[in-house]
Amino acid sequence: MTETWYLYMFFAAALVAVGLYALLTMRNIIRLLIAVGIIGKGISLALLASGWAQNLLLTAQSLVITFIVVEVCLVAVALALAINAYRHTKDLDVRKLTRLKG
């Protein structure tokens, strides 16, 4: 492994840490989705760095593109759920979602 790989992995770990911190501290649904996106970007960077270090860059790129497509679908569905939750509760706080029980 080269120094560049360690640098990429450091920034990937930093992105995942920031995303996890945001997931644990935020209560707004939109901010939680942004935190999930930040974690996804950190994982993508780690995949690309590992693929580059192992000389499997094309495999890593295809994995990352697949991951991005899945992530976009996840965010789209989650945003639709957030919009419906906002229509019912008039708030985006996750603590108030308990009123949506069935």
Side-chain angles (χ1 to χ4, degrees):
M1 301 294 161
T2 63
E3 293 178 9
T4 308
W5 182 80
Y6 287 115
L7 185 66
Y8 286 145
M9 293 307 284
F10 170 76
F11 283 113
L15 283 173
V16 170
V18 167
L20 286 175
Y21 175 76
L23 271 180
L24 294 174
T25 58
M26 302 291 172
R27 300 197 188 276
N28 188 314
I29 296 172
I30 303 298
R31 290 181 181 173
L32 292 177
L33 290 175
I34 292 171
V36 169
I38 290 172
I39 291 172
K41 301 308 175 235
I43 292 171
S44 297
L45 182 60
L47 279 172
L48 280 176
S50 298
W52 174 75
Q54 299 292 325
N55 253 352
L56 298 170
L57 190 57
L58 293 177
T59 305
Q61 286 176 343
S62 63
L63 276 173
V64 168
I65 289 172
T66 304
F67 182 75
I68 289 171
V69 169
V70 170
E71 182 183 9
V72 167
C73 292
L74 171 79
V75 170
V77 170
L79 281 175
L81 290 173
I83 289 170
N84 278 331
Y86 181 76
R87 285 183 184 160
H88 290 285
T89 62
K90 301 296 180 201
D91 198 2
L92 291 175
D93 193 351
V94 292
R95 291 176 292 184
K96 295 185 179 175
L97 293 179
T98 57
R99 285 189 272 162
L100 294 177
K101 288 181 182 175

Coordinates of all heavy atoms in Angstrom, one line a residue:
M1 N 0.8 -1.2 0.0 CA 0.0 0.0 0.0 C 0.9 1.2 0.0 O 1.9 1.3 0.7 CB -0.9 0.0 1.2 CG -1.8 -1.2 1.3 SD -3.0 -1.2 0.0 CE -3.5 -2.9 0.0
T2 N 0.4 2.2 -0.7 CA 1.2 3.5 -0.8 C 0.7 4.5 0.1 O -0.4 4.3 0.8 CB 1.1 4.0 -2.3 OG1 -0.2 4.3 -2.5 CG2 1.6 3.0 -3.3
E3 N 1.4 5.6 0.2 CA 0.9 6.7 1.1 C -0.3 7.3 0.5 O -1.2 7.8 1.3 CB 2.0 7.8 1.2 CG 3.3 7.3 1.9 CD 4.4 8.3 1.9 OE1 4.1 9.5 1.5 OE2 5.5 8.0 2.3
T4 N -0.5 7.3 -0.8 CA -1.7 7.8 -1.4 C -2.9 7.0 -0.9 O -4.0 7.6 -0.6 CB -1.6 7.9 -2.9 OG1 -0.4 8.5 -3.3 CG2 -2.8 8.6 -3.5
W5 N -2.8 5.7 -0.9 CA -3.9 4.9 -0.4 C -4.3 5.2 1.0 O -5.5 5.3 1.3 CB -3.5 3.4 -0.5 CG -4.6 2.5 -0.1 CD1 -5.7 2.1 -0.9 CD2 -4.8 1.8 1.1 NE1 -6.5 1.3 -0.2 CE2 -6.0 1.1 1.1 CE3 -4.1 1.8 2.3 CZ2 -6.4 0.3 2.1 CZ3 -4.5 1.1 3.4 CH2 -5.7 0.3 3.3
Y6 N -3.3 5.4 1.9 CA -3.6 5.8 3.2 C -4.3 7.1 3.3 O -5.2 7.3 4.1 CB -2.3 5.8 4.1 CG -1.8 4.4 4.4 CD1 -0.5 4.0 3.9 CD2 -2.5 3.6 5.2 CE1 0.0 2.8 4.2 CE2 -2.0 2.3 5.4 CZ -0.8 1.9 4.9 OH -0.3 0.7 5.2
L7 N -3.9 8.0 2.5 CA -4.6 9.3 2.4 C -6.0 9.2 2.0 O -6.9 9.8 2.6 CB -3.8 10.3 1.5 CG -4.3 11.7 1.4 CD1 -4.1 12.4 2.8 CD2 -3.6 12.5 0.3
Y8 N -6.3 8.4 1.0 CA -7.7 8.2 0.5 C -8.5 7.5 1.6 O -9.6 7.9 1.9 CB -7.7 7.3 -0.7 CG -7.3 8.0 -2.0 CD1 -6.6 7.3 -3.0 CD2 -7.6 9.3 -2.2 CE1 -6.2 7.9 -4.2 CE2 -7.2 9.9 -3.4 CZ -6.5 9.2 -4.4 OH -6.1 9.8 -5.5
M9 N -7.9 6.5 2.3 CA -8.6 5.8 3.3 C -8.9 6.7 4.5 O -9.9 6.6 5.2 CB -7.9 4.5 3.7 CG -7.8 3.5 2.6 SD -9.4 3.1 1.9 CE -10.1 2.0 3.2
F10 N -7.9 7.6 4.8 CA -8.2 8.6 5.9 C -9.4 9.4 5.6 O -10.2 9.6 6.5 CB -6.9 9.4 6.1 CG -7.1 10.6 7.0 CD1 -7.2 10.3 8.4 CD2 -7.3 11.9 6.6 CE1 -7.4 11.4 9.3 CE2 -7.6 12.9 7.4 CZ -7.6 12.7 8.8
F11 N -9.4 10.0 4.4 CA -10.6 10.8 4.0 C -11.9 10.0 4.0 O -12.9 10.5 4.3 CB -10.3 11.6 2.7 CG -9.4 12.8 2.9 CD1 -8.1 12.7 2.4 CD2 -9.8 13.8 3.7 CE1 -7.3 13.8 2.6 CE2 -8.9 14.9 3.9 CZ -7.6 14.9 3.3
A12 N -11.8 8.8 3.5 CA -13.0 7.9 3.5 C -13.5 7.7 4.9 O -14.7 7.8 5.2 CB -12.7 6.6 2.8
A13 N -12.6 7.4 5.8 CA -12.9 7.2 7.2 C -13.5 8.5 7.8 O -14.4 8.4 8.6 CB -11.7 6.7 8.0
A14 N -12.9 9.6 7.5 CA -13.4 10.9 8.0 C -14.8 11.2 7.5 O -15.7 11.6 8.3 CB -12.5 12.0 7.5
L15 N -15.1 10.9 6.2 CA -16.5 11.0 5.7 C -17.5 10.1 6.4 O -18.6 10.6 6.8 CB -16.5 10.8 4.2 CG -16.0 11.9 3.3 CD1 -15.9 11.4 1.9 CD2 -16.8 13.1 3.4
V16 N -17.1 8.9 6.6 CA -18.0 8.0 7.3 C -18.2 8.4 8.8 O -19.3 8.4 9.3 CB -17.4 6.5 7.3 CG1 -18.2 5.6 8.2 CG2 -17.4 6.0 5.9
A17 N -17.1 8.9 9.4 CA -17.3 9.4 10.8 C -18.2 10.6 10.9 O -19.0 10.7 11.8 CB -15.9 9.7 11.4
V18 N -18.0 11.5 9.9 CA -18.9 12.7 9.9 C -20.4 12.3 9.7 O -21.3 12.8 10.3 CB -18.4 13.7 8.9 CG1 -19.5 14.8 8.6 CG2 -17.1 14.4 9.3
G19 N -20.6 11.4 8.8 CA -21.9 10.9 8.5 C -22.5 10.2 9.7 O -23.7 10.4 10.0
L20 N -21.7 9.4 10.4 CA -22.3 8.7 11.6 C -22.6 9.7 12.7 O -23.6 9.5 13.4 CB -21.2 7.6 12.1 CG -21.2 6.4 11.2 CD1 -20.0 5.5 11.8 CD2 -22.5 5.6 11.3
Y21 N -21.7 10.7 12.9 CA -22.0 11.7 13.9 C -23.3 12.4 13.6 O -24.1 12.7 14.4 CB -20.8 12.7 13.9 CG -21.1 13.9 14.8 CD1 -21.0 13.7 16.2 CD2 -21.4 15.1 14.3 CE1 -21.2 14.8 17.0 CE2 -21.7 16.2 15.2 CZ -21.6 16.0 16.5 OH -21.8 17.1 17.4
A22 N -23.5 12.8 12.3 CA -24.7 13.4 11.9 C -25.9 12.5 12.1 O -27.0 13.0 12.5 CB -24.6 13.9 10.5
L23 N -25.8 11.3 11.8 CA -26.9 10.3 12.0 C -27.3 10.2 13.5 O -28.4 10.1 13.9 CB -26.5 8.9 11.5 CG -26.8 8.6 10.1 CD1 -26.4 7.2 9.8 CD2 -28.3 8.8 9.8
L24 N -26.3 10.3 14.4 CA -26.5 10.2 15.8 C -27.1 11.4 16.4 O -27.7 11.4 17.5 CB -25.3 9.7 16.5 CG -24.8 8.3 16.2 CD1 -23.5 8.0 16.8 CD2 -25.9 7.3 16.5
T25 N -26.7 12.6 15.9 CA -27.1 13.8 16.5 C -28.3 14.6 15.9 O -28.9 15.4 16.5 CB -25.9 14.8 16.5 OG1 -25.5 15.0 15.2 CG2 -24.8 14.2 17.3
M26 N -28.6 14.3 14.6 CA -29.6 15.1 13.9 C -31.0 14.4 14.1 O -31.1 13.2 14.3 CB -29.3 15.2 12.4 CG -28.1 15.8 12.1 SD -28.1 17.6 12.5 CE -26.4 18.0 12.2
R27 N -32.1 15.2 14.1 CA -33.4 14.6 14.2 C -34.3 15.0 13.0 O -35.4 14.5 12.9 CB -34.0 15.2 15.5 CG -33.3 14.8 16.7 CD -34.1 14.9 17.9 NE -33.4 14.8 19.2 CZ -33.1 13.6 19.7 NH1 -33.5 12.5 19.1 NH2 -32.4 13.5 20.8
N28 N -33.8 15.8 12.1 CA -34.5 16.2 10.9 C -34.3 15.1 9.9 O -33.2 14.6 9.7 CB -34.0 17.5 10.4 CG -34.8 18.1 9.3 OD1 -35.1 17.4 8.4 ND2 -35.1 19.4 9.4
I29 N -35.4 14.7 9.2 CA -35.3 13.6 8.3 C -34.4 14.0 7.1 O -33.6 13.1 6.7 CB -36.8 13.3 7.8 CG1 -37.6 12.8 8.9 CG2 -36.7 12.3 6.7 CD1 -39.1 12.6 8.5
I30 N -34.5 15.2 6.6 CA -33.7 15.6 5.5 C -32.2 15.5 5.8 O -31.4 15.0 5.0 CB -34.1 17.0 5.0 CG1 -35.6 17.0 4.6 CG2 -33.2 17.4 3.8 CD1 -36.0 16.1 3.5
R31 N -31.9 16.0 7.0 CA -30.5 16.0 7.4 C -30.0 14.6 7.6 O -28.8 14.2 7.4 CB -30.3 16.8 8.7 CG -30.5 18.3 8.5 CD -30.3 19.0 9.7 NE -30.5 20.5 9.4 CZ -30.5 21.4 10.3 NH1 -30.4 21.1 11.6 NH2 -30.7 22.6 10.0
L32 N -30.9 13.7 8.1 CA -30.5 12.3 8.2 C -30.2 11.7 6.8 O -29.3 10.9 6.7 CB -31.6 11.5 8.9 CG -31.8 11.8 10.4 CD1 -33.0 11.0 10.9 CD2 -30.5 11.5 11.2
L33 N -31.0 12.0 5.8 CA -30.7 11.5 4.5 C -29.4 12.1 3.9 O -28.7 11.3 3.2 CB -31.9 11.9 3.6 CG -33.2 11.2 3.8 CD1 -34.3 11.7 2.9 CD2 -33.0 9.7 3.6
I34 N -29.1 13.3 4.2 CA -27.8 13.9 3.8 C -26.7 13.1 4.5 O -25.6 12.8 3.9 CB -27.8 15.4 4.1 CG1 -28.7 16.1 3.2 CG2 -26.4 15.9 4.0 CD1 -29.0 17.6 3.5
A35 N -26.9 12.8 5.8 CA -25.8 12.0 6.5 C -25.6 10.6 5.9 O -24.5 10.2 5.7 CB -26.2 11.9 8.0
V36 N -26.7 10.0 5.5 CA -26.6 8.7 4.8 C -25.8 8.9 3.5 O -25.0 8.1 3.1 CB -28.0 8.1 4.6 CG1 -27.9 6.9 3.6 CG2 -28.6 7.7 5.9
G37 N -26.1 10.0 2.8 CA -25.4 10.3 1.5 C -23.9 10.5 1.8 O -23.0 10.0 1.0
I38 N -23.5 11.2 2.9 CA -22.1 11.4 3.2 C -21.4 10.0 3.5 O -20.3 9.8 3.1 CB -22.0 12.4 4.4 CG1 -22.4 13.8 3.9 CG2 -20.6 12.4 4.9 CD1 -22.5 14.8 5.1
I39 N -22.1 9.2 4.3 CA -21.5 7.9 4.5 C -21.3 7.1 3.2 O -20.3 6.4 3.0 CB -22.4 7.1 5.5 CG1 -22.4 7.7 6.9 CG2 -22.0 5.6 5.6 CD1 -23.4 7.2 7.9
G40 N -22.3 7.2 2.3 CA -22.2 6.5 1.0 C -21.0 7.0 0.2 O -20.3 6.2 -0.4
K41 N -20.8 8.3 0.3 CA -19.6 8.9 -0.4 C -18.3 8.4 0.2 O -17.3 8.1 -0.5 CB -19.6 10.4 -0.4 CG -20.8 11.0 -1.1 CD -21.1 10.5 -2.4 CE -22.4 11.0 -3.0 NZ -23.3 10.0 -3.4
G42 N -18.3 8.2 1.5 CA -17.0 7.7 2.1 C -16.8 6.2 1.7 O -15.7 5.9 1.5
I43 N -17.9 5.5 1.7 CA -17.7 4.1 1.3 C -17.3 4.0 -0.2 O -16.4 3.2 -0.6 CB -19.0 3.3 1.5 CG1 -19.3 3.2 3.0 CG2 -19.0 1.9 0.9 CD1 -20.6 2.7 3.4
S44 N -17.8 4.8 -1.0 CA -17.4 4.9 -2.4 C -16.0 5.2 -2.6 O -15.3 4.6 -3.4 CB -18.3 5.9 -3.2 OG -19.6 5.6 -3.2
L45 N -15.5 6.2 -1.8 CA -14.1 6.5 -1.9 C -13.2 5.4 -1.4 O -12.2 5.1 -2.0 CB -13.9 7.8 -1.1 CG -12.4 8.3 -1.1 CD1 -12.0 8.7 -2.5 CD2 -12.3 9.5 -0.1
A46 N -13.6 4.7 -0.4 CA -12.8 3.5 0.1 C -12.8 2.4 -0.9 O -11.8 1.8 -1.1 CB -13.4 3.0 1.4
L47 N -13.9 2.2 -1.6 CA -14.0 1.2 -2.6 C -13.0 1.5 -3.8 O -12.3 0.7 -4.3 CB -15.4 1.0 -3.2 CG -16.3 0.1 -2.4 CD1 -17.7 0.2 -2.9 CD2 -15.8 -1.3 -2.4
L48 N -13.1 2.8 -4.2 CA -12.2 3.2 -5.3 C -10.7 3.2 -4.9 O -9.9 2.7 -5.7 CB -12.6 4.6 -5.8 CG -13.8 4.7 -6.7 CD1 -14.1 6.2 -6.9 CD2 -13.6 4.0 -8.0
A49 N -10.4 3.6 -3.7 CA -9.0 3.6 -3.3 C -8.5 2.1 -3.2 O -7.4 1.9 -3.6 CB -8.9 4.3 -1.9
S50 N -9.3 1.2 -2.7 CA -8.9 -0.2 -2.6 C -8.8 -0.8 -4.0 O -7.8 -1.5 -4.2 CB -9.9 -1.0 -1.8 OG -10.0 -0.5 -0.5
G51 N -9.7 -0.5 -4.9 CA -9.5 -1.0 -6.2 C -8.3 -0.5 -6.9 O -7.6 -1.2 -7.7
W52 N -8.0 0.8 -6.7 CA -6.8 1.4 -7.3 C -5.6 0.8 -6.7 O -4.6 0.5 -7.5 CB -6.8 2.9 -7.0 CG -5.6 3.6 -7.5 CD1 -5.2 3.9 -8.8 CD2 -4.6 4.1 -6.6 NE1 -4.0 4.6 -8.8 CE2 -3.6 4.7 -7.5 CE3 -4.4 4.1 -5.3 CZ2 -2.4 5.3 -7.0 CZ3 -3.2 4.7 -4.8 CH2 -2.3 5.2 -5.6
A53 N -5.5 0.5 -5.4 CA -4.4 -0.1 -4.8 C -4.1 -1.5 -5.2 O -3.0 -2.0 -5.3 CB -4.5 0.0 -3.3
Q54 N -5.2 -2.2 -5.5 CA -5.1 -3.6 -5.9 C -5.0 -3.8 -7.4 O -5.0 -5.0 -7.9 CB -6.3 -4.4 -5.4 CG -6.4 -4.4 -3.9 CD -5.3 -5.2 -3.2 OE1 -4.9 -6.2 -3.8 NE2 -4.8 -4.7 -2.1
N55 N -5.0 -2.7 -8.2 CA -4.9 -2.8 -9.7 C -6.2 -3.4 -10.2 O -6.2 -4.0 -11.2 CB -3.7 -3.5 -10.2 CG -2.7 -2.6 -10.8 OD1 -3.0 -1.4 -10.9 ND2 -1.6 -3.2 -11.1
L56 N -7.3 -3.2 -9.5 CA -8.6 -3.6 -10.0 C -9.6 -2.4 -10.1 O -10.7 -2.4 -9.6 CB -9.2 -4.6 -9.0 CG -8.4 -5.9 -8.9 CD1 -9.0 -6.7 -7.7 CD2 -8.5 -6.7 -10.2
L57 N -9.1 -1.4 -10.8 CA -9.8 -0.1 -10.8 C -11.2 -0.3 -11.6 O -12.2 0.3 -11.1 CB -9.0 1.0 -11.5 CG -9.5 2.4 -11.4 CD1 -9.7 2.8 -9.9 CD2 -8.6 3.4 -12.0
L58 N -11.2 -1.0 -12.7 CA -12.5 -1.2 -13.4 C -13.5 -1.9 -12.6 O -14.7 -1.5 -12.6 CB -12.2 -1.9 -14.7 CG -11.4 -1.1 -15.7 CD1 -11.1 -2.0 -17.0 CD2 -12.0 0.2 -16.1
T59 N -13.1 -2.9 -11.8 CA -14.1 -3.6 -10.9 C -14.6 -2.7 -9.9 O -15.8 -2.6 -9.6 CB -13.4 -4.8 -10.3 OG1 -12.9 -5.6 -11.3 CG2 -14.4 -5.6 -9.4
A60 N -13.7 -1.9 -9.3 CA -14.1 -0.9 -8.3 C -15.0 0.1 -8.8 O -16.0 0.5 -8.2 CB -12.8 -0.3 -7.7
Q61 N -14.7 0.6 -10.0 CA -15.6 1.6 -10.6 C -17.0 1.1 -10.9 O -18.0 1.7 -10.6 CB -15.0 2.1 -11.9 CG -13.8 3.1 -11.7 CD -13.2 3.5 -13.0 OE1 -13.4 2.8 -14.1 NE2 -12.4 4.5 -13.0
S62 N -17.0 -0.2 -11.3 CA -18.4 -0.8 -11.6 C -19.1 -1.0 -10.3 O -20.3 -0.8 -10.2 CB -18.3 -2.1 -12.4 OG -17.5 -3.0 -11.6
L63 N -18.4 -1.4 -9.2 CA -19.1 -1.5 -7.9 C -19.6 -0.1 -7.4 O -20.7 0.0 -6.9 CB -18.1 -2.0 -6.9 CG -17.9 -3.5 -6.8 CD1 -16.8 -3.9 -5.9 CD2 -19.2 -4.2 -6.4
V64 N -18.8 0.9 -7.6 CA -19.2 2.2 -7.1 C -20.4 2.8 -7.9 O -21.3 3.3 -7.3 CB -18.0 3.2 -7.2 CG1 -18.4 4.6 -7.0 CG2 -17.0 2.8 -6.1
I65 N -20.4 2.5 -9.2 CA -21.5 3.0 -10.0 C -22.8 2.3 -9.6 O -23.9 2.9 -9.4 CB -21.2 2.8 -11.5 CG1 -20.2 3.8 -12.0 CG2 -22.5 2.9 -12.4 CD1 -19.7 3.6 -13.4
T66 N -22.7 1.0 -9.4 CA -23.8 0.2 -8.9 C -24.3 0.7 -7.5 O -25.5 0.9 -7.2 CB -23.5 -1.3 -8.8 OG1 -23.1 -1.7 -10.0 CG2 -24.7 -2.1 -8.3
F67 N -23.3 1.0 -6.6 CA -23.6 1.6 -5.3 C -24.3 2.9 -5.4 O -25.3 3.2 -4.7 CB -22.3 1.7 -4.5 CG -22.5 2.1 -3.1 CD1 -23.1 1.3 -2.2 CD2 -22.2 3.4 -2.8 CE1 -23.2 1.8 -0.9 CE2 -22.3 3.9 -1.5 CZ -22.9 3.1 -0.5
I68 N -23.8 3.8 -6.3 CA -24.5 5.1 -6.5 C -25.9 4.9 -7.0 O -26.8 5.7 -6.5 CB -23.6 5.9 -7.5 CG1 -22.3 6.4 -6.8 CG2 -24.4 7.2 -7.9 CD1 -21.3 7.0 -7.7
V69 N -26.2 4.0 -7.9 CA -27.5 3.8 -8.4 C -28.5 3.4 -7.2 O -29.6 3.9 -7.1 CB -27.5 2.8 -9.6 CG1 -29.0 2.4 -9.9 CG2 -26.9 3.4 -10.8
V70 N -28.0 2.4 -6.4 CA -28.8 1.9 -5.3 C -29.0 3.1 -4.3 O -30.1 3.2 -3.8 CB -28.1 0.7 -4.7 CG1 -28.8 0.3 -3.4 CG2 -28.1 -0.4 -5.6
E71 N -28.0 3.9 -4.1 CA -28.1 5.0 -3.1 C -29.1 6.0 -3.6 O -29.9 6.5 -2.8 CB -26.7 5.6 -2.9 CG -26.7 6.7 -1.9 CD -25.3 7.4 -1.8 OE1 -24.5 7.1 -2.6 OE2 -25.2 8.2 -0.9
V72 N -29.1 6.3 -4.9 CA -30.0 7.3 -5.4 C -31.5 6.8 -5.3 O -32.4 7.5 -4.9 CB -29.7 7.6 -6.9 CG1 -30.8 8.4 -7.5 CG2 -28.4 8.5 -6.9
C73 N -31.7 5.5 -5.5 CA -33.0 4.9 -5.4 C -33.4 5.0 -3.9 O -34.6 5.3 -3.6 CB -33.0 3.5 -5.8 SG -32.8 3.3 -7.6
L74 N -32.5 4.7 -3.0 CA -32.8 4.8 -1.6 C -33.2 6.2 -1.1 O -34.2 6.4 -0.4 CB -31.6 4.3 -0.7 CG -31.7 4.5 0.8 CD1 -32.5 3.4 1.4 CD2 -30.3 4.5 1.4
V75 N -32.5 7.1 -1.6 CA -32.7 8.5 -1.2 C -34.1 9.0 -1.8 O -34.8 9.7 -1.2 CB -31.6 9.4 -1.6 CG1 -32.0 10.9 -1.5 CG2 -30.3 9.1 -0.8
A76 N -34.4 8.6 -3.1 CA -35.6 9.0 -3.7 C -36.8 8.4 -2.9 O -37.8 9.1 -2.6 CB -35.7 8.5 -5.1
V77 N -36.7 7.1 -2.5 CA -37.8 6.5 -1.7 C -37.9 7.2 -0.4 O -39.0 7.5 0.1 CB -37.6 5.0 -1.6 CG1 -38.6 4.4 -0.6 CG2 -37.8 4.3 -3.0
A78 N -36.8 7.4 0.2 CA -36.8 8.1 1.6 C -37.4 9.5 1.5 O -38.1 9.9 2.4 CB -35.4 8.1 2.2
L79 N -37.0 10.2 0.5 CA -37.6 11.6 0.3 C -39.1 11.5 0.1 O -39.9 12.4 0.7 CB -37.0 12.3 -0.8 CG -35.6 12.9 -0.5 CD1 -35.0 13.5 -1.8 CD2 -35.7 14.0 0.6
A80 N -39.6 10.5 -0.6 CA -41.0 10.4 -0.8 C -41.7 10.1 0.6 O -42.8 10.7 0.9 CB -41.4 9.3 -1.8
L81 N -41.1 9.2 1.3 CA -41.6 8.9 2.7 C -41.6 10.2 3.6 O -42.5 10.4 4.4 CB -40.9 7.8 3.3 CG -41.1 6.4 2.7 CD1 -40.1 5.4 3.3 CD2 -42.5 6.0 2.8
A82 N -40.5 11.0 3.4 CA -40.4 12.2 4.3 C -41.5 13.2 3.9 O -42.0 13.8 4.8 CB -39.0 12.8 4.1
I83 N -41.8 13.3 2.6 CA -42.8 14.2 2.2 C -44.2 13.8 2.7 O -44.9 14.6 3.2 CB -42.9 14.3 0.6 CG1 -41.6 15.1 0.1 CG2 -44.1 15.0 0.1 CD1 -41.4 15.0 -1.4
N84 N -44.4 12.5 2.7 CA -45.7 12.0 3.2 C -45.8 12.2 4.8 O -46.8 12.5 5.3 CB -45.9 10.5 2.9 CG -46.5 10.4 1.5 OD1 -47.2 11.2 1.0 ND2 -46.2 9.3 0.9
A85 N -44.7 12.0 5.4 CA -44.6 12.2 6.9 C -44.8 13.7 7.2 O -45.5 14.0 8.2 CB -43.3 11.7 7.4
Y86 N -44.3 14.6 6.4 CA -44.5 16.0 6.6 C -45.9 16.4 6.4 O -46.5 17.2 7.1 CB -43.6 16.8 5.7 CG -43.7 18.3 5.9 CD1 -43.1 18.9 7.0 CD2 -44.4 19.1 5.0 CE1 -43.3 20.3 7.2 CE2 -44.6 20.4 5.2 CZ -44.0 21.0 6.3 OH -44.1 22.4 6.5
R87 N -46.6 15.8 5.4 CA -48.0 16.1 5.2 C -48.9 15.7 6.4 O -49.9 16.4 6.7 CB -48.5 15.3 4.0 CG -48.0 15.9 2.7 CD -48.6 15.2 1.5 NE -48.1 15.7 0.3 CZ -48.1 15.1 -0.9 NH1 -48.6 13.9 -0.9 NH2 -47.6 15.6 -1.9
H88 N -48.5 14.7 7.1 CA -49.3 14.2 8.2 C -48.9 14.9 9.5 O -49.8 15.2 10.4 CB -49.2 12.7 8.4 CG -49.9 11.9 7.3 ND1 -51.2 11.8 7.3 CD2 -49.4 11.3 6.3 CE1 -51.5 11.1 6.2 NE2 -50.4 10.8 5.6
T89 N -47.6 15.2 9.8 CA -47.2 15.7 11.1 C -46.9 17.2 11.0 O -46.7 17.8 12.0 CB -46.0 15.0 11.6 OG1 -44.9 15.2 10.6 CG2 -46.2 13.5 11.7
K90 N -46.7 17.8 9.8 CA -46.3 19.2 9.6 C -45.0 19.5 10.2 O -44.7 20.6 10.7 CB -47.4 20.2 10.2 CG -48.7 20.0 9.6 CD -48.7 20.4 8.1 CE -50.1 20.2 7.5 NZ -50.1 20.1 6.1
D91 N -44.1 18.5 10.4 CA -42.8 18.6 10.9 C -41.9 17.5 10.4 O -42.4 16.4 10.0 CB -42.9 18.5 12.5 CG -41.7 19.1 13.1 OD1 -40.8 19.6 12.4 OD2 -41.6 19.1 14.4
L92 N -40.6 17.7 10.4 CA -39.7 16.7 9.9 C -38.9 16.1 11.0 O -37.9 15.4 10.7 CB -38.7 17.4 8.8 CG -39.4 17.8 7.5 CD1 -38.4 18.5 6.6 CD2 -39.9 16.6 6.8
D93 N -39.3 16.3 12.2 CA -38.6 15.7 13.3 C -38.9 14.2 13.4 O -40.1 13.8 13.4 CB -39.0 16.4 14.6 CG -38.1 16.1 15.8 OD1 -37.3 15.1 15.7 OD2 -38.3 16.7 16.8
V94 N -37.9 13.4 13.6 CA -38.1 11.9 13.6 C -38.9 11.5 14.9 O -39.5 10.4 14.9 CB -36.8 11.1 13.4 CG1 -36.3 11.3 12.0 CG2 -35.8 11.5 14.5
R95 N -38.8 12.3 15.9 CA -39.4 11.9 17.2 C -41.0 12.0 17.0 O -41.7 11.3 17.7 CB -39.0 12.8 18.3 CG -37.5 12.5 18.7 CD -37.1 13.5 19.7 NE -37.1 14.8 19.1 CZ -36.7 15.9 19.7 NH1 -36.3 15.8 21.0 NH2 -36.6 17.1 19.1
K96 N -41.4 12.8 16.1 CA -42.9 13.0 15.9 C -43.5 12.0 15.0 O -44.7 12.0 14.7 CB -43.2 14.4 15.5 CG -42.8 15.4 16.5 CD -43.2 16.8 16.1 CE -42.7 17.7 17.3 NZ -42.9 19.1 17.0
L97 N -42.6 11.1 14.5 CA -43.2 10.1 13.6 C -43.9 9.0 14.3 O -44.6 8.1 13.7 CB -42.0 9.4 12.7 CG -41.4 10.4 11.7 CD1 -40.2 9.7 11.0 CD2 -42.4 10.9 10.8
T98 N -43.8 9.0 15.6 CA -44.5 7.9 16.4 C -46.0 8.1 16.3 O -46.8 7.2 16.5 CB -44.1 8.0 17.9 OG1 -44.4 9.2 18.4 CG2 -42.6 7.6 18.0
R99 N -46.4 9.3 15.9 CA -47.9 9.6 15.7 C -48.4 8.9 14.5 O -49.6 8.9 14.3 CB -48.2 11.1 15.7 CG -48.1 11.7 17.0 CD -48.5 13.1 17.0 NE -47.4 14.0 16.6 CZ -47.5 15.2 16.1 NH1 -48.7 15.7 15.9 NH2 -46.5 15.9 15.8
L100 N -47.6 8.4 13.6 CA -48.0 7.8 12.4 C -48.4 6.3 12.5 O -48.6 5.7 11.5 CB -46.9 8.0 11.3 CG -46.6 9.4 10.9 CD1 -45.5 9.4 9.9 CD2 -47.8 10.0 10.3
K101 N -48.3 5.8 13.7 CA -48.7 4.4 13.9 C -50.1 4.1 13.5 O -51.0 4.9 13.7 CB -48.5 4.0 15.4 CG -47.0 4.0 15.8 CD -47.0 3.6 17.3 CE -45.5 3.5 17.7 NZ -45.4 3.3 19.1
G102 N -50.3 3.0 12.9 CA -51.4 2.6 12.4 C -52.7 2.4 12.3 O -53.6 2.3 12.0

